[in-house]
Amino acid sequence: MVQGSRFKVIRKPKTILSSRRFVPQLQFRIPFLSALILVLSTIFASYSAAADKLVALYSSHAVPYSTPWIAEELGLFKRYDLDFDFVYIPSSSTATAAILGGNVEVGLLGGVGVVNAFVSGASDLVFIGSFKNIMTQSILAKPEVNKLQDLKGKKIGVTRIGSNTHYFSVQALRRAGMSPEKDITFIQTGGDMETLGALFTGVVDAASLLPPTDGRAIARGFRYVVYGPDLAIPYAASTITTRRSVVAKRGQVIAKFMRAMAEASRVMHRDKEFAYKVLQKKLRIADRSVLETGYATEIKVMEPRLEIKPQAIQTIIEEAQKTNPRAADIKPQDLVDRRYLAEMETSGFFNQIWSDKR
């Protein structure tokens, strides 16, 4: 018996014949419904198969932060089923605010903004890795400036107060016996290229710059007043940062991103020509010598396995104590979650990708 009173079958022949006017409607509806189900199934299947969206930021045009671009060129994000967006938000303090605001889920940035925010109560922030634990900024000026003391009463360009470039300048000045608060005026430019432009146009007397941007200044006749790599200041300079709430909700997505970074890091260290190609394309550096010098400086201190070192965080905590007493209660391990690094170690993933057999 067909369900529904309009289609009830009875024994009277005339009623059976009279029901034929409904048959064409059924014949039309069945193919239509089948097609609709097929379309809907395809749509739902496409949603379920869609790549995981992930938005990350980088705070400076620098060699370590080019690692995601290497991953992109290698097709690693596609392999790990990630729909990845990479946006530029200059300076550690501004980038940290973007992470806290939920605009991005992962940040590649200097540690000073993260530590200062954590000390002030933003305990959701967490380091999950790092590309570099040593500062490589330098201070450059015109040839007639021979030492930092020559810059007393002058202006030094930095991206932002509270940025890596500002932190480095403060440390360099103190090591030279100068007062960052009294002897120098810091000019905030907003970004790396803006700082370079301010130096070229004379808006500032000196500038704190990272490789390979410092090489562009050298090519224009400027000189190192302080060559940062020689100071070897421990510092969480190029961290991989996220929020604990993101780890809790999207842990597997972050795990895939970290594996992509690990594989790209290997290529960054092992395949110099491929790295040059990506850096030239993304950083828009036409001068090969500038590129080679910048890469050589950075690769010496970059972390092959993305390790975040406690001493690199401790130096920032100690600096924060000068303005925020609560920093005295903070330990480096309070800011670190090594679960992804530990998993890649214990599973043999690191050993596998660094094997010469690859």
Side-chain angles (χ1 to χ4, degrees):
M1 176 181 295
V2 180
Q3 297 296 318
S5 60
R6 294 179 65 185
F7 299 100
K8 184 176 181 181
V9 179
I10 60 176
R11 295 184 181 278
K12 294 181 181 179
K14 63 180 181 179
T15 307
I16 295 173
L17 291 172
S18 65
S19 67
R20 288 178 181 172
R21 67 179 182 273
F22 297 107
V23 172
Q25 295 180 33
L26 284 171
Q27 291 174 337
F28 170 76
R29 289 176 183 171
I30 291 172
F32 173 76
L33 290 173
S34 298
L36 180 60
I37 290 170
L38 179 61
V39 170
L40 290 174
S41 298
T42 303
I43 292 172
F44 287 129
S46 66
Y47 277 121
S48 63
D52 291 309
K53 184 72 175 179
L54 184 67
V55 182
L57 67 78
Y58 64 105
S59 64
S60 179
H61 296 94
V63 174
Y65 299 147
S66 300
T67 308
W69 288 324
I70 287 181
E72 180 182 56
E73 292 291 327
L74 291 169
L76 292 175
F77 294 129
K78 184 177 181 181
R79 186 199 304 171
Y80 283 105
D81 201 26
L82 291 174
D83 179 7
F84 183 73
D85 281 341
F86 200 33
V87 297
Y88 174 55
I89 300 179
S91 95
S92 178
S93 54
T94 307
T96 299
I99 297 171
L100 286 171
N103 299 311
V104 298
E105 292 173 299
V106 175
L108 276 53
L109 70 163
V112 63
V114 177
V115 171
N116 286 338
F118 187 93
V119 169
S120 297
S123 58
D124 199 27
L125 291 169
V126 65
F127 296 127
I128 56 174
S130 185
F131 297 107
K132 188 174 66 172
N133 292 289
I134 294 287
M135 301 207 88
T136 53
Q137 283 82 359
S138 294
I139 297 176
L140 295 95
K142 291 180 180 179
E144 56 266 29
V145 179
N146 295 308
K147 56 186 182 300
L148 271 181
Q149 287 78 2
D150 294 339
L151 291 171
K152 190 171 183 177
K154 305 291 186 180
K155 295 176 287 188
I156 295 180
V158 297
T159 55
R160 297 277 184 194
I161 301 300
S163 67
N164 282 14
T165 53
H166 175 247
Y167 182 92
F168 171 78
S169 300
V170 168
Q171 300 306 312
L173 288 163
R174 286 179 180 160
R175 291 179 182 221
M178 298 176 68
S179 169
E181 296 78 21
K182 297 178 182 178
D183 294 336
I184 292 292
T185 299
F186 289 107
I187 301 299
Q188 301 182 87
T189 65
D192 304 309
M193 298 311 296
E194 289 79 3
T195 302
L196 186 66
L199 182 64
F200 286 171
T201 57
V203 173
V204 296
D205 302 291
S208 181
L209 299 170
L210 261 177
T213 308
D214 60 348
R216 289 174 163 172
I218 294 293
R220 289 280 292 268
F222 293 86
R223 67 180 299 274
Y224 291 112
V225 181
V226 177
Y227 183 63
D230 287 345
L231 299 181
I233 299 173
Y235 177 83
S238 303
T239 74
I240 307 173
T241 300
T242 186
R243 302 190 308 277
R244 298 177 199 275
S245 54
V246 172
V247 172
K249 293 177 183 176
R250 309 193 73 205
Q252 290 303 311
V253 176
I254 303 302
K256 291 192 292 184
F257 172 75
M258 289 296 287
R259 287 200 166 211
M261 291 302 94
E263 291 201 50
S265 176
R266 177 193 178 277
V267 173
M268 175 76 86
H269 283 79
R270 289 282 183 86
D271 193 339
K272 183 164 47 177
E273 287 303 319
F274 186 87
Y276 283 169
K277 183 181 77 171
V278 174
L279 292 169
Q280 191 168 30
K281 174 182 176 182
K282 295 296 185 178
L283 298 180
R284 298 177 182 177
I285 298 174
D287 190 330
R288 172 82 177 207
S289 64
V290 169
L291 193 63
E292 290 178 347
T293 302
Y295 173 86
T297 299
E298 294 284 54
I299 206 69
K300 289 176 185 176
V301 295
M302 285 177 63
E303 296 291 338
R305 300 193 180 198
L306 312 179
E307 190 60 67
I308 177 80
K309 295 183 177 178
Q311 183 55 42
I313 303 170
Q314 182 61 37
T315 55
I316 307 175
I317 293 174
E318 290 170 1
E319 183 67 26
Q321 290 176 16
K322 294 173 179 157
T323 56
N324 192 333
R326 285 184 290 184
D329 299 324
I330 305 297
K331 305 265 188 305
Q333 56 265 34
D334 297 334
L335 290 112
V336 177
D337 186 338
R338 290 193 75 261
R339 72 179 68 190
Y340 300 113
L341 299 181
E343 187 279 327
M344 288 189 282
E345 288 168 357
T346 57
S347 68
F349 181 76
F350 274 136
N351 289 338
Q352 177 188 345
I353 64 173
W354 282 92
S355 170
D356 290 333
K357 296 178 181 179
R358 280 177 60 93

